[in-house]
Amino acid sequence: YGPLCGCCAPVPWWSIPEATEAAKDGPRRDAPRLLNSFTKTKVPFVPLDGNRVGWYICGPTVYDSAHMGHARNYVNFDVIRRVMTDYFRYD
């Protein structure tokens, strides 16, 4: 690891994706900025499919009695979904 290593930030071949025309429709708050752990910088969130956002979450790996920790993933997902739809107005 060092300045000549391909995994050190900033990487000259990586660039911020351009916003699509569909994402510019109508008034909306500024896009959220996410930490890019590869470059160690905050970059704007740009959906791949216009204003539509989707993601996959895994189910619980249950090997014992159910507990509150199993619900944490679903509660976090619900909070993020509500922020993305209600605050940032993504589909």
Side-chain angles (χ1 to χ4, degrees):
Y1 296 100
L4 298 177
C5 179
C7 60
C8 283
V11 180
W13 49 265
W14 187 86
S15 62
I16 297 173
E18 296 294 325
T20 61
E21 289 300 317
K24 296 178 183 177
D25 291 342
R28 193 174 73 208
R29 297 184 191 276
D30 290 338
R33 297 178 61 79
L34 305 174
L35 177 66
N36 181 335
S37 58
F38 186 65
T39 62
K40 309 288 191 268
T41 60
K42 287 185 180 179
V43 296
F45 174 76
V46 179
L48 296 176
D49 185 17
N51 200 40
R52 184 175 179 271
V53 176
W55 63 86
Y56 173 81
I57 59 170
C58 298
T61 303
V62 181
Y63 50 86
D64 203 355
S65 301
H67 56 81
M68 290 303 294
H70 292 135
R72 181 177 183 266
N73 189 36
Y74 301 106
V75 171
N76 287 345
F77 168 76
D78 187 56
V79 169
I80 292 171
R81 181 190 60 81
R82 289 171 190 253
V83 169
M84 296 297 276
T85 57
D86 298 341
Y87 185 80
F88 290 110
R89 293 183 268 240
Y90 287 110
D91 296 332

